[in-house]
Amino acid sequence: MHESFAEFTKAYPQYSDTGRVDQIRAQGYYHLSFSNHTCLDYLGTGLFSYSQLQKQESTTCRIASSSFPVPPQSPPPVLDIPFFGVTYKMGNLKTLLLHGGPTSEMESAIRTRIMSFLNVSENEYSMVFTANKTSAFKLVAESYPFRSNRKLLSVYDYESEAIEAMANSSEKKGARVMSAEFSWPRLRIQSSKLRNMLVSKKNKKQMKKRSGLFVFPLHSRMTGARYPYLWMTIAEENGWHVLIDACALGPKDMDSFGLSLFRPDFLICSFYKVFGENPSGFACLFVKNSTISILETSTTSGIVGLIPAEKLFQAVTESPGTDTEVENLSSQSGRVEKGKTTYEIDHAEVAEKLKGLEMIEVSESDKAIEIIEEDNVKLKGEIECRGLDQVDSLGLVTISNRARCLINWLVSALLKLQHPNTKGTPLVRIYGPKVKFDRGPAIAFNVFDWKGEKIEPVLVQKLADRSNISLSYGLLYHIWFADKYQEEKEKVMERRSNETNTANGNKGKDKNEMGIAVVTAALGFLANFQDIYKLWAFIAQFLDADFVEKERWRYTSLNQKTIEVL
């Protein structure tokens, strides 16, 4: 690893200018190094830092070098208590956007901080919090006037739960659902087809009636491909309302997007509490004030409110006895969900978890509240979002340069892996852009054995997890093959399982059920060379033709179910 890092810094000398990121990681996110766990399974921005959640900076945590941060000498105390709770709001999206509703000072403060972080003006946009990204997309679909603006056009090269939810809701209202296609093998947008779908054939009088809703993600969260902003302009000029999906953007990518130049009708982004933890946060739906009037009145679910910790504990520990009141709180407000297990936070548990903080006595819930809010409320009505503050202090250039160096080295290193004793049979196939200056910090790939047969992505993901590397897997979608690639199409395309269709209630056309299952990795702004080297070294193990079989027997000998590997 040290030899590879030396070669890496020679090839990418600008990486040495990003040492400030390593300092932030060592001081504020030391759990990433201490746990020896590499998190490459999602793109997201956290409101708060890990040390802020733990309420105790480790006094033994030293500033590490720009490549290998040194973990603290002992694990930090466990304090799995949220800063705030989330309650669901039943109501009308249009009414809430126009007139607002009861909000806590904490919610107002977080709203203001997020809008500042994204450079979104409160004079031009109104915002609601939603439970997650899918809820935000579904809210738009349920409120958008698809009965008159009949089309829904999206640009996604992968299967998206959020887009599926939006498509299902819009089809019920009579919408015609369409998607851009991506040319094999580079998976670039099929420009001529997308332009034909966007460009209106109506005359100027007919143009007063909107074409529909154009959903544009700026770049692919799976392949890292970036898409020209020109498509948004073309859509707007041809009578489309535009929704920008900013959920996969890097922490400061909104600075380069520039809302001053293009103002979409809808903007959706998401925030997680802690980098590297099981994602638990919320999404934000922004609607341009001039667009609110076109929304339909409908009772919707998925809108949430943020409540301060004081109300959180009162709701859980001082409930008058009705189950409904307690159950209205989400996973952040009195319930901690890990996997499929739900743990109720009660007064005794809070006190127990606070013992590690060397407090003399914790017997009142307001003591817990005092500790939770101590480091996070700077002034009345102002919340310290240390995660956002750190990203702001780093800036767009530092974050972008670092991600570019890391992702391009990873792509290059993976492509060099070839099976021994073969005529250069590659171990890895990467889908979408390869080494490229302007690409996102995500990669979609598959691993192949020496015979050229694909190793199932879910198997690669499971084996990676056992090596303390978190990866994801998904389905590349809407791929267009020219005639000369028809033979290759039959080899690479696969049909989505019937179980998925049944679970989602989806009964699309055959061509929409075909795709390519892939492994995906994404780099957050705190990723370092050690993270990507660890992934590369893990993938390189598949060069051993017996690697999978060895792993199967190794875990069998440990009395683990082999079905988990197979």
Side-chain angles (χ1 to χ4, degrees):
M1 181 168 62
H2 289 275
E3 291 178 3
S4 296
F5 180 69
E7 295 176 1
F8 167 72
T9 53
K10 288 181 182 178
Y12 300 95
Q14 60 269 42
Y15 183 80
S16 60
D17 298 329
T18 68
R20 173 62 180 150
V21 180
D22 294 293
Q23 294 178 0
I24 290 175
R25 172 169 169 150
Q27 291 176 309
Y29 303 85
Y30 39 81
H31 66 305
L32 296 177
S33 298
F34 186 85
S35 65
N36 194 34
H37 195 98
T38 300
C39 300
L40 302 173
D41 57 345
Y42 72 91
L43 288 170
T45 303
L47 292 179
F48 311 113
S49 70
Y50 182 80
S51 60
Q52 196 176 4
L53 282 180
Q54 295 304 102
K55 302 299 169 302
Q56 178 174 292
E57 298 263 358
S58 174
T59 56
T60 59
C61 184
R62 292 167 284 156
I63 301 301
S65 68
S66 61
S67 56
F68 308 112
V70 180
Q73 301 302 309
S74 59
V78 176
L79 184 57
D80 195 10
I81 303 174
F83 293 144
F84 55 85
V86 175
T87 57
Y88 282 87
K89 296 181 178 179
M90 294 300 295
N92 185 298
L93 174 62
K94 184 174 183 178
T95 300
L96 287 173
L97 289 169
L98 286 172
H99 308 293
T103 61
S104 65
E105 285 189 7
M106 175 175 286
E107 179 176 330
S108 297
I110 291 179
R111 182 195 308 273
T112 300
R113 181 65 184 93
I114 288 175
M115 296 188 82
S116 172
F117 178 75
L118 295 174
N119 295 324
V120 177
S121 170
E122 293 187 43
N123 295 326
E124 292 188 76
Y125 287 88
S126 297
M127 186 260 275
V128 295
F129 293 104
T130 65
N132 48 45
K133 172 183 175 179
T134 300
S135 296
F137 274 79
K138 194 174 180 181
L139 274 169
V140 175
E142 290 174 347
S143 302
Y144 188 79
F146 281 113
R147 291 180 178 85
S148 56
N149 307 342
R150 309 280 300 186
K151 298 177 183 177
L152 172 64
L153 174 58
S154 61
V155 185
Y156 287 79
D157 62 0
Y158 61 93
E159 184 181 32
S160 167
E161 180 183 350
I163 287 296
E164 244 182 90
M166 171 174 268
N168 290 338
S169 294
S170 61
E171 283 182 327
K172 292 176 182 178
K173 299 172 70 174
R176 177 188 173 193
V177 177
M178 304 180 294
S179 174
E181 293 185 335
F182 302 84
S183 300
W184 181 265
R186 296 187 178 183
L187 299 186
R188 293 178 175 173
I189 292 176
Q190 258 280 310
S191 299
S192 58
K193 289 189 176 183
L194 181 56
R195 183 179 292 273
N196 287 338
M197 287 188 283
L198 281 174
V199 175
S200 175
K201 298 178 182 178
K202 303 173 183 177
N203 56 41
K204 290 186 178 181
K205 291 183 179 180
Q206 293 174 319
M207 280 286 290
K208 292 182 180 180
K209 182 179 179 181
R210 290 282 185 165
S211 299
L213 183 63
F214 179 58
V215 183
F216 193 68
L218 298 182
H219 78 240
S220 169
R221 64 168 291 275
M222 288 184 66
T223 66
R226 294 189 185 274
Y227 306 132
Y229 294 172
L230 175 65
W231 292 114
M232 296 182 290
T233 302
I234 294 175
E236 190 176 53
E237 289 176 349
N238 285 273
W240 293 80
H241 286 109
V242 177
L243 185 156
I244 296 301
D245 177 2
C247 294
L249 291 185
K252 292 296 289 181
D253 278 354
M254 282 298 290
D255 285 4
S256 64
F257 172 56
L259 280 172
S260 59
L261 299 176
F262 186 88
R263 296 177 176 84
D265 298 282
F266 306 92
L267 175 70
I268 294 175
C269 62
S270 60
F271 291 91
Y272 299 129
K273 285 200 300 177
V274 189
F275 178 84
E277 294 296 302
N278 183 34
S280 57
F282 52 80
C284 302
L285 168 60
F286 298 88
V287 182
K288 188 160 63 173
N289 291 335
S290 59
T291 305
I292 296 176
S293 61
I294 65 104
L295 298 180
E296 295 178 342
T297 300
S298 62
T299 302
T300 55
S301 61
I303 301 175
V304 300
L306 309 184
I307 60 173
E310 181 178 3
K311 291 185 179 180
L312 168 106
F313 286 103
Q314 286 177 350
V316 176
T317 64
E318 300 176 14
S319 172
T322 60
D323 293 337
T324 305
E325 292 182 21
V326 177
E327 289 175 356
N328 279 337
L329 299 172
S330 76
S331 62
Q332 290 174 306
S333 55
R335 301 180 117 193
V336 177
E337 294 185 3
K338 296 184 177 180
K340 294 184 178 179
T341 307
T342 301
Y343 304 92
E344 295 289 341
I345 295 180
D346 58 21
H347 182 78
E349 184 179 353
V350 171
E352 180 67 23
K353 289 188 175 183
L354 291 171
K355 285 182 180 179
L357 298 182
E358 300 180 356
M359 294 183 63
I360 297 175
E361 182 179 2
V362 180
S363 58
E364 300 291 341
S365 61
D366 58 350
K367 286 283 188 181
I369 296 163
E370 181 182 342
I371 294 171
I372 290 171
E373 296 182 343
E374 182 178 21
D375 282 342
N376 311 310
V377 182
K378 293 185 283 190
L379 297 170
K380 185 176 181 181
E382 184 177 1
I383 303 296
E384 181 182 12
C385 299
R386 197 174 297 171
L388 301 188
D389 294 343
Q390 290 163 343
V391 166
D392 277 338
S393 70
L394 292 171
L396 174 64
V397 175
T398 296
I399 292 174
S400 299
N401 284 345
R402 184 181 180 92
R404 186 179 299 116
C405 294
L406 293 173
I407 196 67
N408 281 324
W409 181 91
L410 178 61
V411 169
S412 179
L414 289 175
L415 290 176
K416 291 178 181 177
L417 295 174
Q418 296 181 345
H419 284 283
N421 304 318
T422 65
K423 297 180 180 180
T425 302
L427 175 68
V428 173
R429 178 164 197 168
I430 293 175
Y431 304 88
K434 308 298 189 292
V435 176
K436 191 175 180 182
F437 180 84
D438 185 27
R439 62 160 296 151
I443 178 175
F445 66 96
N446 273 317
V447 181
F448 294 82
D449 64 20
W450 64 276
K451 298 177 183 178
E453 296 180 0
K454 185 171 78 172
I455 299 173
E456 286 301 315
V458 64
L459 172 58
V460 177
Q461 189 264 345
K462 287 178 181 289
L463 292 176
D465 192 55
R466 287 173 173 169
S467 296
N468 287 330
I469 302 173
S470 295
L471 300 174
S472 296
Y473 60 91
L475 193 72
L476 294 178
Y477 233 19
H478 304 124
I479 304 173
W480 179 85
F481 291 81
D483 291 340
K484 62 181 179 180
Y485 293 118
Q486 288 305 306
E487 185 176 341
E488 193 171 359
K489 176 182 179 180
E490 295 178 4
K491 294 180 181 178
V492 301
M493 294 291 279
E494 52 200 281
R495 186 174 298 278
R496 192 171 56 171
S497 67
N498 290 329
E499 291 182 6
T500 304
N501 287 337
T502 302
N504 293 335
N506 236 7
K507 295 182 180 179
K509 297 179 181 179
D510 285 348
K511 68 174 184 178
N512 290 333
E513 295 177 356
M514 301 294 289
I516 303 174
V518 295
V519 183
T520 65
L523 307 183
F525 82 98
L526 292 170
N528 62 11
F529 181 77
Q530 189 173 7
D531 293 333
I532 60 170
Y533 181 86
K534 187 176 177 181
L535 173 59
W536 175 83
F538 163 73
I539 296 298
Q541 293 181 89
F542 288 89
L543 290 172
D544 179 355
D546 297 323
F547 171 64
V548 174
E549 189 68 13
K550 289 175 181 177
E551 287 295 299
R552 184 174 73 86
W553 285 109
R554 184 162 76 90
Y555 284 97
T556 300
S557 66
L558 295 175
N559 295 320
Q560 298 197 19
K561 294 181 180 179
T562 58
I563 192 173
E564 293 182 9
V565 179
L566 298 175

